[in-house]
Amino acid sequence: MGLTISYIIIAIYSISLLLIFFYSLAQLNLLVNYLSQKRQNQTAPKFNLLDPKEIPFVTIQLPVYNEEYVMERLLENIAKIEYPKSKLEIQVLDDSTDDTVIATAKSIAALQETGLDIKHICRTDRTGFKAGALKEGLKIAKGDFIAIFDADFLPSADWLKKTVVYFKDEEIGVVQTRWGHINREYSTLTRIQAFALDAHFTLEQVGRNAKGHFINFNGTAGIWRKDCIIDAGNWEGDTLTEDLDLSYRAQLKNWKFKYLEDVETPAELPVVISAARSQQFRWNKGGAENFRKTVWSVITAKNIPFKTKFHGVMHLLNSSMFLCVFIVALLSIPMLYIKNMYGHLGWVFEATSFFIVSTIILFVCYWFTYKSIQGSSFDNFIDYIKLFFTFFSVALGFSLHNSIAVLEGHMGKRSEFVRTPKFNINNITESWKGNKYLAKKLSPNMILEFALMVYFLFGMYSAVPLNDFGLFPFHFMLFLGFGFVFFKSLTARA
């Protein structure tokens, strides 16, 4: 390996490590914000829902697409929402292309007979996908406030009473609630998804919201002021994460967001890795698309302070961290040999400590968020350690898949909105077998993931003749992560 190539590898490796380190510092700052927020007892003006004059009109939008397994459960649950019928409208925004349209129409007709104001809105085409459906419904929505739930979400009967009251503050454009997980304990895959989402919905959402930094509406389990949607430019379907897009446009126009950590809205996690793949791809590509679309507006905004800009940029770069991690992983084995070949470059490898420090920071941050939901006992801490390193390994295993998504997003490559198939699985005894919405084809990325599993096995082997075991734990986790993703993808076919 030539010295010039070695210097190039070292430069790319070091820059990626530094970006990961800056991301971890941003997370640490969010932890400080999170802990300070927990000590504050904040009050806010609220609507008095006992006064008929103060009860606002609400439209609930349910964007659905081929949801055979959860449609009945969704409608039954939404019908239980406790709110004056004269001030409530429900829109089922149904873009389905299968027989569920007929069954849904029958269920809606039955609910209409009970006096519920519920409408079945079907489009002739899926222009704009979910964003297009929401925009279409908004044209005829009666409500001043628009609550949105995806098909697998099960809000409590008093959900509106807990959320709509905060809109008495006329500067608030969105109220977002924390996601819960009805099938958290179904499998290793669901546990690590819940772990990652819990970190976002505690550390990140609270940490940003506490200091007035930009947060995002999460696409569901939240409620918008209709005027805010219109003022921000309405829903747009030019990214795969229309929720993040509209959130930033709204906050750039000085609308405030209210995040309610204490209001949990349960939902179902994907139980099959192919479903998790499609969800991860959409979220990560959409994040990169929004960075490309929005970051300059954030940087040049005159109405927000520097720290909010910093956190905004890091927020928009969230998904790009997978690309940095993948680069570090891929170059770690050449770096091992460079270290052995060029002894005078040994000082450069101190940069590796940035990755160790970053991991420690994330370990501490995620512990605080984990214990806020699961508890802080010694047994919970031991469970946390095992779950953290399982999560870390599997996240590494997803790094190729997610890096491809990020690169497509940054390059502006357009792709269809692929929704995550739902299963209606609540406990470990239920099976996903036979779900007709699951992808039947093997992902071509699986061949590369198998190759990477072997590559990092070679990395572990390389430690022996080189007598350098510093990267052995990292390569071991990469080997396990890519192995998990590959074998789960290979076996989890419908």
Side-chain angles (χ1 to χ4, degrees), residues 216-494:
N216 60 296
F217 168 64
N218 293 103
T220 177
I223 181 167
W224 284 81
R225 186 187 298 271
K226 187 199 288 185
D227 288 346
C228 174
I229 297 175
I230 302 300
D231 182 54
N234 215 322
W235 296 104
E236 294 180 358
D238 57 346
T239 73
L240 293 179
T241 45
E242 72 294 321
D243 43 10
L244 179 60
D245 173 33
L246 185 59
S247 296
Y248 266 68
R249 285 189 279 121
Q251 287 166 110
L252 283 167
K253 299 204 76 170
N254 293 323
W255 287 98
K256 293 181 180 178
F257 281 31
K258 178 75 174 178
Y259 177 67
L260 303 178
E261 183 187 8
D262 295 333
V263 180
E264 179 183 303
T265 311
E268 182 182 309
L269 294 162
V271 297
V272 182
I273 202 162
S274 60
R277 274 181 181 275
S278 64
Q279 186 178 73
Q280 287 282 310
F281 194 90
R282 187 175 72 249
W283 287 352
N284 285 288
K285 182 172 181 176
E289 288 175 328
N290 274 288
F291 176 85
R292 190 168 180 264
K293 178 178 179 178
T294 308
V295 69
W296 188 245
S297 297
V298 172
I299 292 171
T300 58
K302 298 283 197 293
N303 59 323
I304 56 176
F306 173 78
K307 200 167 184 181
T308 297
K309 291 182 180 183
F310 170 76
H311 277 289
V313 172
M314 296 308 296
H315 187 191
L316 292 168
L317 274 174
N318 260 0
S319 64
S320 299
M321 288 302 110
F322 275 106
L323 181 58
C324 292
V325 168
F326 182 67
I327 290 171
V328 167
L330 204 61
L331 297 183
S332 62
I333 295 177
M335 286 290 287
L336 198 61
Y337 282 90
I338 291 170
K339 181 181 180 182
N340 184 257
M341 291 170 63
Y342 303 106
H344 67 285
L345 295 177
W347 60 272
V348 174
F349 293 87
E350 299 301 321
T352 304
S353 62
F354 280 114
F355 192 78
I356 297 170
V357 173
S358 298
T359 304
I360 293 171
I361 290 173
L362 294 177
F363 180 87
V364 172
C365 290
Y366 287 4
W367 163 241
F368 278 95
T369 62
Y370 180 86
K371 74 175 185 176
S372 73
I373 296 174
Q374 303 297 328
S376 57
S377 69
F378 180 75
D379 287 343
N380 281 332
F381 182 66
I382 298 301
D383 288 340
Y384 167 74
I385 294 173
K386 292 185 287 188
L387 187 57
F388 177 83
F389 285 104
T390 302
F391 156 75
F392 200 76
S393 296
V394 176
L396 291 172
F398 268 107
S399 62
L400 168 67
H401 177 78
N402 291 343
S403 292
I404 293 170
V406 167
L407 286 171
E408 285 191 7
H410 284 305
M411 292 187 298
K413 180 181 177 181
R414 300 301 299 273
S415 59
E416 185 174 319
F417 184 104
V418 180
R419 73 97 165 92
T420 307
K422 314 302 189 304
F423 302 87
N424 195 8
I425 292 176
N426 302 320
N427 60 67
I428 200 167
T429 62
E430 295 179 289
S431 174
W432 51 266
K433 296 288 185 181
N435 187 306
K436 68 182 185 181
Y437 300 127
L438 283 176
K440 304 297 192 296
K441 295 188 297 183
L442 297 176
S443 166
N445 292 345
M446 285 175 54
I447 299 171
L448 292 175
E449 286 161 353
F450 175 76
L452 286 165
M453 181 186 74
V454 175
Y455 177 67
F456 292 113
L457 180 63
F458 170 74
M460 288 188 288
Y461 163 77
S462 298
V464 178
L466 296 176
N467 194 31
D468 188 342
F469 294 88
L471 288 171
F472 189 91
F474 183 45
H475 291 154
F476 180 61
M477 285 193 292
L478 283 159
F479 169 74
L480 290 180
F482 280 106
F484 177 89
V485 171
F486 171 74
F487 285 110
K488 281 288 184 183
S489 300
L490 190 66
T491 57
R493 317 311 304 169

Side-chain angles (χ1 to χ4, degrees), residues 57-188:
F57 202 117
V58 176
T59 295
I60 296 177
Q61 291 187 323
L62 308 174
V64 298
Y65 173 67
N66 296 351
E67 303 290 4
E68 177 180 326
Y69 302 101
V70 295
M71 201 65 219
E72 183 179 354
R73 183 182 70 180
L74 171 68
L75 293 175
E76 286 179 356
N77 188 78
I78 290 298
K80 296 175 183 175
I81 292 286
E82 297 169 352
Y83 205 74
K85 288 186 177 180
S86 62
K87 293 293 183 75
L88 179 65
E89 171 195 38
I90 300 170
Q91 293 181 337
V92 181
L93 308 174
D94 194 353
D95 279 358
S96 298
T97 56
D98 64 3
D99 292 341
T100 56
V101 176
I102 299 170
T104 298
K106 290 180 180 178
S107 297
I108 289 173
L111 290 173
Q112 287 171 338
E113 291 179 3
T114 68
L116 195 63
D117 184 0
I118 180 169
K119 297 177 178 65
H120 193 197
I121 300 172
C122 300
R123 299 193 296 164
T124 55
D125 64 81
R126 292 183 68 206
T127 301
F129 304 109
K130 181 180 176 181
L134 294 170
K135 189 174 183 179
E136 191 74 19
L138 194 69
K139 292 178 183 176
I140 57 172
K142 301 175 186 175
D144 298 313
F145 302 96
I146 313 294
I148 301 171
F149 298 103
D150 284 346
D152 56 324
F153 278 74
L154 301 171
S156 61
D158 61 350
W159 191 92
L160 278 180
K161 294 178 180 178
K162 292 178 178 177
T163 55
V164 77
V165 291
Y166 290 96
F167 286 104
K168 186 162 188 176
D169 181 345
E170 294 186 356
E171 293 185 332
I172 290 180
V174 173
V175 174
Q176 174 68 51
T177 64
R178 178 171 61 85
W179 293 5
H181 318 291
I182 59 179
N183 59 336
R184 176 193 295 270
E185 299 300 325
Y186 183 81
S187 66
T188 299

